[in-house]
Amino acid sequence: MSATFIGAKIAAAAGGLFGGLAIMAFMKPSTLLDATIRGGISTGSAIIGSTLLIDTMNWSNAVEYHAIAGAIIGFCAWSVLSMCARLFIKAEKNKLDVIQVATEINNLEEVMKPAAPKVRRKGPVKKY
């Protein structure tokens, strides 16, 4: 019983770390410390939440499903941490207070609009 439980938690931890590292290609942290913290949190949340996700989805209690659930949770945890970190870094750079940050969060429709494409202006062609 305990060997299966420990094996499932190790699989969930590996899955959570893998899920966090998979999203790291798209949402890169600014420092190594930031990456370590996000990796630890995504792994820890995968260990805790894999059993809950498996019970919610009515999956089998096999080790493979713990690894899959851990990867899903690790992916989501890294994504949420990255979005929050970017919001706080932006608020710190712009010296915003809590009310201004809350106002920006309420205006997410405007913030989430895709950026206008950059127009390249062609300069004169140099003839040699």
Side-chain angles (χ1 to χ4, degrees), residues 21-28 75 86:
L21 293 177
I23 192 68
M24 188 173 82
F26 304 103
M27 297 179 163
K28 294 181 181 171
F75 187 89
R86 290 177 197 273

Side-chain angles (χ1 to χ4, degrees), residues 48-66:
I48 294 168
S50 67
T51 306
L52 298 172
L53 183 62
I54 287 173
D55 290 343
T56 303
M57 301 298 283
N58 292 325
W59 290 346
S60 169
N61 202 17
V63 174
E64 294 85 9
Y65 288 109
H66 280 277

Side-chain angles (χ1 to χ4, degrees), residues 15-125:
L17 186 61
F18 177 74
L21 293 177
I23 192 68
M24 188 173 82
F26 304 103
M27 297 179 163
K28 294 181 181 171
S30 56
T31 62
L32 181 62
L33 177 64
D34 192 19
T36 305
I37 291 170
R38 289 185 203 179
I41 291 175
S42 65
T43 303
S45 60
I47 291 170
I48 294 168
S50 67
T51 306
L52 298 172
L53 183 62
I54 287 173
D55 290 343
T56 303
M57 301 298 283
N58 292 325
W59 290 346
S60 169
N61 202 17
V63 174
E64 294 85 9
Y65 288 109
H66 280 277
I68 292 168
I72 293 169
I73 292 170
F75 187 89
C76 294
W78 189 286
S79 302
V80 169
L81 287 169
S82 294
M83 287 186 271
C84 290
R86 290 177 197 273
L87 177 79
F88 290 129
I89 288 169
K90 182 179 175 184
E92 187 177 338
K93 282 183 181 176
N94 295 334
K95 296 188 182 356
L96 300 175
D97 63 355
V98 176
I99 303 298
Q100 291 169 326
V101 171
T103 305
E104 281 191 25
I105 291 173
N106 286 334
N107 296 331
L108 277 181
E109 293 171 1
E110 222 174 279
V111 174
M112 296 302 285
K113 286 182 184 175
K118 293 182 180 178
V119 178
R120 289 187 172 177
R121 297 185 183 177
K122 294 183 178 180
V125 179

